[in-house]
Amino acid sequence: MLFFFLFPGSHLQHMNPGNDTQITEFFLLGFSEEPELQPLIFGLFLSMYLITVFGNLLILRAVSSDSHLHTPMYFFLANLSFGDICVTSTTVPKMLWNIQTQSKVITYENCITQMYFFLLFAGLDIFLLTVMAYDRFVAICHPLHYTVIMNPRLCGLLVLVSWIMCVLNSLLQTLMVLGLSFCTTLEISHFFCELNQMIQLACSDTSINNLVMYLAAVLLGGASLAGILYSYSKIVSSIRGISSAQGKYKAFSTCASHLSVVSLFYCTALGVYLSSAATQSSHSSATASVMYTVVTPMLNPFIYSLRNKDIKRALKRIVGVPGT
């Protein structure tokens, strides 16, 4: 536990002034407290989790085993699949364990650790989607210079910078939460330890935490979205300049899968925050957040495999199906 090694006394927050009781756990309320719904929720999320892990592992296997897929686009796709496995594995197994054991408890240390890794891998997905948009921009707008620009060194550097930015952001946000004091309400109206929920539970001043959280959302999320929109504005302009309909279709088909994933991710994330702002309900926000924390990582392999002949050919080779 890196955080508690660096700040060994940071979790000794008090539940009430003058009370030296140490906070050791929170309670994840999840989606519903009705016992008859728990088996249904367990089966649904177990199925989605297994599909997510298996599907993204297949993408990783296909990219690593097929030499035709050793290109920048599939290198970034493999990293995205790894991030999708990790972001889902950060949240869903704990929820499944709580349902199976009929317990809502998560320790303070595990909650902070879960929040750190969720921020890390969710942020990594956002950065990788931006890098992939840049890759498609170079491929379509500068095809003759693509292999020179997107060389292995630049590809590795882009992924490395993405990791560094996400690690620093997650570490900053987590260390700031460690400085908060929590009072009597220790119930998190979510199925995992989400940053905003943790800040709302604090009884100490959270103005700096809110400022840093929103600045990070604007600087990291907003800048990434701006980069994606800029890349696709150039891509659209370049495709419009192609004379033949077949050429336009071929150019657009190379970025259709990525555009579908970007649309799915940002539309669901935007829907979560709009719905939570409109209803002011933590339970509705938790339900809506399933879309980008579980559903989107589950659908990504299907989007790329169904719309990509190279991936389909590699997957057929893996499972032993003769190629067409």
Side-chain angles (χ1 to χ4, degrees), residues 218-234:
V218 172
L219 294 178
L220 301 182
S224 297
L225 180 58
I228 292 173
L229 293 176
Y230 176 80
S231 296
Y232 273 101
S233 68
K234 293 296 185 181

Side-chain angles (χ1 to χ4, degrees), residues 100-158:
Q100 185 67 20
T101 59
Q102 299 182 358
S103 170
K104 298 181 182 296
V105 174
I106 182 171
T107 65
Y108 182 91
E109 289 82 359
N110 287 343
C111 189
I112 294 296
T113 303
Q114 184 186 62
M115 183 183 66
Y116 170 81
F117 282 108
F118 177 78
L119 289 171
L120 170 61
F121 293 116
L124 183 63
D125 274 3
I126 294 174
F127 275 98
L128 288 174
L129 289 174
T130 308
V131 170
M132 293 171 77
Y134 174 72
D135 173 72
R136 293 299 84 204
F137 159 73
V138 176
I140 294 175
C141 299
H142 305 282
L144 298 180
H145 301 93
Y146 177 73
T147 55
V148 177
I149 297 175
M150 300 304 296
N151 57 76
R153 181 179 179 182
L154 177 63
C155 294
L157 184 61
L158 289 172

Side-chain angles (χ1 to χ4, degrees), residues 171-186:
L171 188 60
L172 173 62
Q173 302 277 10
T174 305
L175 292 178
M176 293 194 66
V177 170
L178 286 173
L180 295 176
S181 299
F182 296 92
C183 300
T184 55
T185 303
L186 301 176

Side-chain angles (χ1 to χ4, degrees), residues 37-275:
L37 291 180
Q38 299 309 306
L40 176 63
I41 295 174
F42 181 86
L44 178 63
F45 276 84
L46 178 61
S47 300
M48 289 194 295
Y49 178 66
L50 292 177
I51 292 172
T52 300
V53 173
F54 183 70
N56 283 286
L57 282 176
L58 277 180
I59 295 293
L60 285 170
R61 172 64 176 163
V63 173
S64 62
S65 63
D66 194 328
S67 59
H68 295 94
L69 301 182
H70 294 173
T71 63
M73 181 175 72
Y74 297 113
F75 170 70
F76 297 134
L77 175 60
N79 279 272
L80 181 67
S81 294
F82 174 77
D84 283 341
I85 292 174
C86 292
V87 74
T88 309
S89 298
T90 302
T91 58
V92 176
K94 176 58 180 175
M95 184 194 68
L96 295 176
W97 174 260
N98 283 0
I99 294 175
Q100 185 67 20
T101 59
Q102 299 182 358
S103 170
K104 298 181 182 296
V105 174
I106 182 171
T107 65
Y108 182 91
E109 289 82 359
N110 287 343
C111 189
I112 294 296
T113 303
Q114 184 186 62
M115 183 183 66
Y116 170 81
F117 282 108
F118 177 78
L119 289 171
L120 170 61
F121 293 116
L124 183 63
D125 274 3
I126 294 174
F127 275 98
L128 288 174
L129 289 174
T130 308
V131 170
M132 293 171 77
Y134 174 72
D135 173 72
R136 293 299 84 204
F137 159 73
V138 176
I140 294 175
C141 299
H142 305 282
L144 298 180
H145 301 93
Y146 177 73
T147 55
V148 177
I149 297 175
M150 300 304 296
N151 57 76
R153 181 179 179 182
L154 177 63
C155 294
L157 184 61
L158 289 172
V159 172
L160 177 61
V161 170
S162 298
W163 273 95
I164 292 174
M165 293 292 290
C166 293
V167 166
L168 292 178
N169 174 61
S170 301
L171 188 60
L172 173 62
Q173 302 277 10
T174 305
L175 292 178
M176 293 194 66
V177 170
L178 286 173
L180 295 176
S181 299
F182 296 92
C183 300
T184 55
T185 303
L186 301 176
E187 294 181 343
I188 301 175
S189 301
H190 220 295
F191 66 96
F192 68 96
C193 294
E194 195 255 346
L195 174 62
N196 189 44
Q197 291 287 324
M198 295 290 289
I199 293 176
Q200 291 180 9
L201 283 181
C203 59
S204 55
D205 182 28
T206 60
S207 56
I208 299 298
N209 295 77
N210 284 313
L211 177 63
V212 172
M213 180 177 63
Y214 289 121
L215 278 177
V218 172
L219 294 178
L220 301 182
S224 297
L225 180 58
I228 292 173
L229 293 176
Y230 176 80
S231 296
Y232 273 101
S233 68
K234 293 296 185 181
I235 289 172
V236 170
S237 298
S238 180
I239 292 177
R240 289 178 61 184
I242 300 175
S243 57
S244 67
Q246 184 179 4
K248 289 181 178 181
Y249 174 78
K250 184 177 180 181
F252 180 76
S253 64
T254 62
C255 57
S257 298
H258 176 259
L259 186 59
S260 300
V261 171
V262 169
S263 301
L264 181 64
F265 181 87
Y266 276 98
C267 288
T268 53
L270 181 62
V272 168
Y273 288 103
L274 290 178
S275 63

Side-chain angles (χ1 to χ4, degrees), residues 279-300:
T279 61
Q280 296 296 320
S281 171
S282 298
H283 281 289
S284 64
S285 176
T287 303
S289 67
V290 173
M291 288 301 297
Y292 72 90
T293 58
V294 182
V295 176
T296 300
M298 179 184 68
L299 293 180
N300 285 352

Side-chain angles (χ1 to χ4, degrees), residues 4-18:
F4 309 103
F5 176 76
L6 294 175
F7 299 90
S10 60
H11 66 294
L12 301 178
Q13 310 295 344
H14 298 138
M15 295 178 63
N16 292 301

